[in-house]
Amino acid sequence: MDLSCDSVVIGAGAVGLAVARQLARAGHDTVILEKNAHIGMETSARNSEVIHAGLYYPQGSLKARLCVRGKALLYEFCAAHGVPHRRIGKLVVGQAGQESQIEALVHAAQANGVTDLQPLDRAAIAALEPEVSAEIGLLSPSTGILDSHQYMLALLGDVTLVREAKMTGLRRGGDGWHVSVRDGDEDLMLESRLVVNAAGLWAQAVARHIEGLTDIPPLYLAKGRYASLSGPAPFRHLVYPVPEPGGLGVHVTLDMTGQARFGPDVEWLDGNDPAAIDYGVPDGIAADFAPRIARWWPGLRAERLTPDYSGVRPKLSGPGAANADFRIDGPAAHGLPGRVNLFGIESPGLTASLAIAEYVEEMLHE
């Protein structure tokens, strides 16, 4: 069976859904292909649900630009569409000897246009979060949380979603692209002028099916585990330590019900096959996390921590290397008209999703 549309988006996570919505709002008849049974079952369902302010990313990077722009768009979208969210604020806390790392965050944030950070000393930290013990810190009042599932449902809207549909080939044909799709037991051919690869963990695998595409970056997988806190949480804000290599450190986040969870840590996986990922979280996570959390929350009792869930970041740089930027390749990069590939869309991808969608649309229409 052959079908036609204006745009095809591969991957129905938060970023793919945002891109599809953007293209549909621009007047394109848009189809989203999702290989799983439901939207957002991988990276988008396995994160901290944090709306990031834009503190951590190098000036001028896509992560910095799209996070700051995306944050503003995301708060507006959530308010307009009734998506549960809270501008809860975040404390980044450090101990003696970490002053230079806190200062570096301030400089990075200011360079990215984030000007609302407030420096904190021990007394100010204790006033905001009495259970937290730290010498120095920052308050980021524009950091928030949201219900990511409700957000994705709001993005989906009336855009056509084809579930359990796996893209098996992509080749040039006429004025556009022929997209081969395996939909259950049926083989389909979609003809589309524009195609966007927003497949997250599977973006490199999808790219290998694209005729004429040769420049595909390597994929590194970094697993992050979470532990939940039993009983009431003593926190009113998110609390983060200074960042660690590959991640932001084991921090506490709150969901929309006030439930607290800690994580993620960073575990580099040996292979790079998303199909081989084990998302299990061992019982020993409490013993692993407790001493790290106790550095800034000395009142923690390890028995209150229980295994929760895990997620995996699709990274473009491996252990020991500097964190790579998002890589969003359009026709200018690969020479293939009407095509955009999104590689390495990890944190702050959820926050940046609406800004990424704007960026992709502009790239397709240059």
Side-chain angles (χ1 to χ4, degrees), residues 15 81 89 139 150 154 213 229 244 285 339 342 356 363 366:
V15 171
H81 292 81
L139 172 64
Q150 291 299 317
L213 185 66
L229 181 72
E244 63 182 37
I285 193 171
R339 285 284 301 120
L342 290 87
I356 291 172
M363 185 174 285
E366 286 178 349

Side-chain angles (χ1 to χ4, degrees), residues 38-40 44 49 83 146-154:
H38 302 287
I39 62 174
S44 296
E49 297 187 303
V83 176
L146 80 163
D147 184 323
S148 60
H149 184 68
Q150 291 299 317
Y151 171 55
M152 288 188 285
L153 288 175

Side-chain angles (χ1 to χ4, degrees), residues 211-233:
E211 182 181 71
L213 185 66
T214 57
D215 186 9
I216 302 173
L219 172 66
Y220 302 91
L221 300 179
K223 181 178 178 179
R225 305 171 300 169
Y226 293 83
S228 59
L229 181 72
S230 62

Side-chain angles (χ1 to χ4, degrees), residues 11-14 17 34 36 38-46 149 152:
L17 289 165
E34 172 53 54
N36 293 313
H38 302 287
I39 62 174
M41 290 183 65
E42 295 181 351
T43 308
S44 296
R46 296 175 172 275
H149 184 68
M152 288 188 285

Side-chain angles (χ1 to χ4, degrees), residues 80-346:
H81 292 81
V83 176
H85 69 289
R86 291 171 60 199
R87 198 184 296 253
I88 194 172
K90 173 174 75 176
L91 274 65
V92 182
V93 297
Q95 307 299 342
Q98 295 184 311
E99 292 85 357
S100 62
Q101 291 163 276
I102 293 290
E103 290 174 4
L105 285 180
V106 173
H107 293 316
Q110 291 175 341
N112 294 337
V114 181
T115 59
D116 60 352
L117 293 186
Q118 301 171 25
L120 304 172
D121 59 15
R122 173 175 280 278
I125 293 169
L128 292 170
E129 292 291 354
E131 294 278 342
V132 174
S133 177
E135 295 295 328
I136 52 174
L138 299 169
L139 172 64
S140 170
S142 64
T143 299
I145 55 175
L146 80 163
D147 184 323
S148 60
H149 184 68
Q150 291 299 317
Y151 171 55
M152 288 188 285
L153 288 175
L155 287 173
L156 180 59
D158 296 325
V159 177
T160 302
L161 169 67
V162 184
R163 298 179 297 172
E164 299 183 311
K166 184 177 181 180
M167 191 276 273
T168 58
L170 186 64
R171 59 181 177 83
R172 290 286 296 162
D175 295 329
W177 293 91
H178 292 166
V179 187
S180 301
V181 181
R182 183 70 174 174
D183 182 13
D185 296 328
E186 187 177 6
D187 290 317
L188 306 176
M189 181 68 74
L190 277 173
E191 296 183 1
S192 179
R193 186 169 60 87
L194 307 175
V195 180
V196 177
N197 171 11
L201 292 167
W202 298 86
Q204 279 86 342
V206 166
R208 287 193 287 272
H209 288 291
I210 301 173
E211 182 181 71
L213 185 66
T214 57
D215 186 9
I216 302 173
L219 172 66
Y220 302 91
L221 300 179
K223 181 178 178 179
R225 305 171 300 169
Y226 293 83
S228 59
L229 181 72
S230 62
F235 306 109
R236 294 176 296 168
H237 306 80
L238 312 183
V239 183
Y240 284 53
V242 295
E244 63 182 37
L248 300 181
V250 175
H251 50 267
V252 63
T253 60
L254 303 172
D255 65 18
M256 295 304 301
T257 69
Q259 174 68 45
R261 57 180 177 257
F262 292 88
D265 58 355
V266 180
E267 175 191 353
W268 292 96
L269 302 184
D270 291 334
N272 64 354
D273 180 5
I277 293 172
D278 176 4
Y279 286 103
V281 179
D283 291 337
I285 193 171
D288 185 8
F289 275 18
R292 301 164 73 175
I293 299 167
R295 295 170 190 165
W296 51 267
W297 182 25
L300 170 67
R301 300 196 315 273
E303 60 267 23
R304 293 187 64 188
L305 296 177
T306 56
D308 203 327
Y309 62 97
S310 71
V312 174
R313 308 172 183 92
K315 288 184 165 290
L316 300 183
S317 56
N323 282 333
D325 199 4
F326 294 155
R327 180 165 156 181
I328 304 177
D329 293 354
H334 50 58
L336 303 174
R339 285 284 301 120
V340 172
N341 289 306
L342 290 87
F343 298 117
I345 308 299
E346 52 164 334

